[in-house]
Amino acid sequence: MAVRVNYEVRIRNYEKNIVNDKSENKYPKVGVGVIVAKDGKILIGKRKNAHGEGSWAFPGGHLKFGETWEECARREVMEETGIRIKNVSFARATNDFFPKEAKHYITIYMYSEYASGKVILCEPEKCEEWIWTPWDNLPKPHFIPLQNLLKTGYDPLKK
């Protein structure tokens, strides 16, 4: 019962933020987050100049029309970090509300392994830095989709 009440309160608050919003934000968007593993560590970056600024998140972005999840994962990782990934597979999906920004995303998480290349800051206007870190020591604060992923108990290194 408490779960249902919390859901209803969250939805009411979310709807208050978008009731006068005539933009495309009224429908969820699809984001793809990519968990890149290498030598027992995960690649994570600190966001800037976008919703979730100052929080830590995996490489990723919007799924383009006609693109597969795997294609999106490979493209986003290359665009943001300059590295190639392999063994890309579905990990989890989260339902993410951003009340302050009146945004709603479905985030598809893809697991991958590092294949080649050197991590570089390809989009310095969107990300402050990339680091490799153990899963059990991810820096905080976490981006809302990452918070929701962690709530599921998912651990990519215990596959």
Side-chain angles (χ1 to χ4, degrees), residues 6 8 19 21 23 37 40 55 62 70 83 90 99 103 119-120 146 150 159:
N6 288 338
E8 290 172 357
V19 74
D21 186 355
S23 72
S55 63
H62 293 103
E70 293 84 0
I83 64 171
F90 173 76
K103 293 185 178 190
V119 175
I120 55 176
L146 176 53
L150 293 172
K159 291 184 80 176

Side-chain angles (χ1 to χ4, degrees), residues 30-150:
V30 179
V32 174
V34 189
I35 301 161
V36 182
K38 176 185 175 190
D39 300 327
K41 294 185 177 180
I42 303 297
L43 185 64
I44 193 165
K46 191 170 187 183
R47 297 174 61 87
K48 70 178 190 181
N49 295 326
H51 66 283
E53 181 169 8
S55 63
W56 291 84
F58 305 123
H62 293 103
L63 181 69
K64 291 184 177 181
F65 183 81
E67 191 174 45
T68 69
W69 299 349
E70 293 84 0
E71 289 167 340
C72 181
R74 292 177 194 282
R75 175 182 56 77
E76 287 290 350
V77 169
M78 177 57 76
E79 287 176 1
E80 294 180 7
T81 70
I83 64 171
R84 295 190 188 285
I85 55 175
K86 63 183 179 181
N87 301 326
V88 181
S89 62
F90 173 76
R92 288 278 199 284
T94 58
N95 190 21
D96 308 309
F97 297 96
F98 297 84
K100 289 180 186 173
E101 299 89 352
K103 293 185 178 190
H104 180 190
Y105 276 81
I106 304 302
T107 304
I108 299 163
Y109 278 100
M110 302 298 287
Y111 172 82
S112 69
E113 296 169 352
Y114 167 85
S116 65
K118 180 181 178 193
V119 175
I120 55 176
L121 200 56
C122 296
E123 297 176 327
E125 71 284 1
K126 295 181 182 178
C127 182
E128 287 183 31
E129 65 178 316
W130 293 109
I131 62 170
W132 292 99
T133 186
W135 180 257
D136 60 1
N137 194 29
L138 296 173
K140 293 180 181 178
H142 301 140
F143 189 41
I144 288 174
L146 176 53
Q147 291 173 27
N148 292 334
L149 176 66
L150 293 172

